[in-house]
Amino acid sequence: MEAYKQWVWRNREYVHSLGSLANGLTWLLPEKFSASEIGPEAVTAILGIFTTINEHIIETLPTTPPPHLGPSSLSYPLLISILKDLETVVEVAAEHFYGEDRKWNFIILTEAIKALIRLALFRNTGYKMLLHGGETPNDDDDKDPNQPELQNRDRNHRFGNQNPWNSERRAMSALSSFGQNARTGTGTTTTTASSSNSGWSRRIQHQQAVIEPPVVMVKEKRTTISELLSEKGVKGALFVMGEVLYITRPLIYVLFIRRYGISSWIPWAISLSVDTLGMGILSNLKLWGEESKQIHFSQPERDELRRRKLLWALYLLRDPFFTKYTRQKLESSQKKVEPVPLIGFFTEKIVELLVGAQTRYTYISGS
């Protein structure tokens, strides 16, 4: 296994390109959206898992685990990625062997497992926002825009970017080398002088050791829910509520689909309401609680909020909205451009892909 890891790391560019190409070619497999697509979906899932594991090896092999993440937390993003690769196979196989209605029991089980893993990851990372559903580690701790980063940068620039500790280390090293050369460079030095130089050299080395303390890995203390609520107050509680709503929304959605059916507006409306409430809370935290307990989002977290808003477009592909509105618009647009060479062909293929993808919950779940 170690030899394989080393091979993947040495050929990481080739492995990454090959994985992307293989995943893209799976869309060209025959009977992609037919009733008997277990084989193609199984191939897609296997390739997806293989690519996910290789990417995990590439990301983790050359570096040591971050001090604030334990060994168990490192496996959470990998587990989530593997589950996302397997969920379509689970849906297709469940529909094939148990029927359209009973397949939702297996989808509910899959979403429940993902929700539990994400909640565990959310807790294990000290209640940080999940990036890409937990598939991307949130290691950016630079959340406070009030940090004097620019001031420090200007100060370093004015002083030639020199660190006084580094300068003194270089001076001590030069003095130590000079003392060593003075002690061994000539054969006419007396025993008394050699002893004096040796003692002086040892004092210099001792001072250098004091200036250069050993590097100690300090394990960062994980924030608990009580500490978060104590430090951030109402804003902290609302942030946790918004993240929990985001994590549990897919599970709530499929539970209501199981109860009312995919053609009912109730699951669609409840899912949209949960998304709206969670995003509203996270986007407007500054309006609640004390100003001194503000929660500052890092740039990756702000990008994540924008990504979640873009996922709302999937509601256009979810029934019953898709059947009643979106599909009619797509077919009418296709008919208008059908006589146009090349454009009509590509439009037909795009509509075909969208209609086919819409039949699978896992393609449009946004989870």
Side-chain angles (χ1 to χ4, degrees):
M1 187 62 184
E2 291 300 325
Y4 176 73
K5 290 182 179 179
Q6 293 294 334
W7 182 86
V8 170
W9 170 244
R10 288 194 302 267
N11 302 276
R12 54 189 179 275
E13 297 296 336
Y14 171 74
V15 171
H16 180 74
S17 300
L18 184 62
S20 300
L21 177 62
N23 288 332
L25 291 176
T26 56
W27 287 91
L28 302 178
L29 290 174
E31 300 180 349
K32 178 66 182 178
F33 300 111
S34 66
S36 58
E37 58 176 288
I38 299 179
E41 287 298 345
V43 173
T44 303
I46 292 173
L47 290 174
I49 293 173
F50 183 73
T51 303
T52 299
I53 293 175
N54 286 337
E55 290 179 352
H56 180 73
I57 292 174
I58 292 172
E59 293 173 359
T60 58
L61 183 63
T63 58
T64 56
H68 62 281
L69 290 177
S72 61
S73 66
L74 289 176
S75 63
Y76 289 151
L78 181 60
L79 287 175
I80 294 172
S81 299
I82 291 176
L83 277 174
K84 288 178 68 66
D85 290 328
L86 286 175
E87 60 184 0
T88 304
V89 179
V90 172
E91 178 182 1
V92 173
E95 182 178 352
H96 180 78
F97 292 107
Y98 297 96
E100 174 70 24
D101 293 334
R102 297 181 63 184
K103 79 172 184 179
W104 293 105
N105 296 330
F106 296 89
I107 297 177
I108 288 172
L109 179 61
T110 304
E111 291 292 359
I113 294 174
K114 286 197 296 184
L116 289 175
I117 294 176
R118 284 168 174 161
L119 289 173
L121 176 61
F122 183 48
R123 176 182 177 273
N124 201 61
T125 56
Y127 299 95
K128 291 183 179 181
M129 181 182 293
L130 299 186
L131 304 181
H132 293 87
E135 294 183 78
T136 303
N138 187 355
D139 297 332
D140 193 348
D141 295 328
D142 184 18
K143 294 185 178 182
D144 193 349
N146 298 321
Q147 293 292 334
E149 180 181 355
L150 296 178
Q151 298 177 5
N152 294 335
R153 189 181 304 168
D154 292 340
R155 188 183 299 111
N156 291 335
H157 179 73
R158 287 196 300 270
F159 286 93
N161 224 1
Q162 292 181 354
N163 191 329
W165 284 99
N166 292 336
S167 301
E168 192 160 357
R169 289 192 189 107
R170 290 194 296 268
M172 288 295 105
S173 179
L175 288 174
S176 179
S177 300
F178 174 77
Q180 184 70 18
N181 293 335
R183 184 165 61 92
T184 61
T186 177
T188 60
T189 307
T190 63
T191 305
T192 305
S194 298
S195 301
S196 176
N197 286 337
S198 179
W200 175 75
S201 178
R202 283 196 297 269
R203 288 195 299 273
I204 292 297
Q205 291 175 1
H206 173 71
Q207 294 177 6
Q208 186 177 4
V210 172
I211 293 175
E212 296 182 352
V215 178
V216 179
M217 294 294 293
V218 180
K219 186 176 181 180
E220 182 180 342
K221 186 177 181 296
R222 184 180 65 190
T223 304
T224 63
I225 185 64
S226 58
E227 291 172 345
L228 178 65
L229 296 179
S230 175
E231 180 182 354
K232 299 299 182 180
V234 176
K235 294 180 184 293
L238 289 173
F239 170 74
V240 173
M241 183 185 300
E243 278 298 288
V244 171
L245 286 174
Y246 165 73
I247 292 171
T248 58
R249 195 277 312 165
L251 179 60
I252 295 172
Y253 180 46
V254 295
L255 285 172
F256 277 92
I257 289 178
R258 181 68 181 86
R259 174 66 178 83
Y260 294 99
I262 191 65
S263 59
S264 173
W265 283 99
I266 294 178
W268 189 92
I270 290 179
S271 177
L272 180 60
S273 300
V274 173
D275 258 339
T276 304
L277 178 60
M279 184 56 64
I281 291 174
L282 294 175
S283 300
N284 298 281
L285 283 176
K286 60 183 179 180
L287 303 179
W288 306 90
E290 302 177 18
E291 185 66 26
S292 60
K293 297 182 177 182
Q294 186 66 262
I295 294 179
H296 300 283
F297 292 137
S298 64
Q299 185 59 46
E301 291 172 339
R302 291 193 289 270
D303 293 340
E304 170 65 15
L305 290 178
R306 286 191 286 269
R307 187 191 72 87
R308 294 181 187 182
K309 291 178 181 178
L310 291 176
L311 289 179
W312 287 11
L314 292 175
Y315 282 98
L316 301 178
L317 298 178
R318 294 172 185 162
D319 277 335
F321 191 94
F322 179 84
T323 302
K324 293 183 179 297
Y325 302 103
T326 308
R327 184 166 187 169
Q328 297 177 5
K329 294 293 183 182
L330 289 175
E331 291 176 348
S332 62
S333 299
Q334 177 187 349
K335 291 178 180 179
K336 291 180 181 179
V337 299
E338 187 175 4
V340 182
L342 197 62
I343 296 179
F345 172 78
F346 283 110
T347 303
E348 180 183 359
K349 293 302 179 183
I350 292 174
V351 172
E352 180 183 346
L353 283 175
L354 289 176
V355 172
Q358 189 274 335
T359 61
R360 297 297 174 207
Y361 161 80
T362 48
Y363 291 154
I364 58 173
S365 63
S367 65

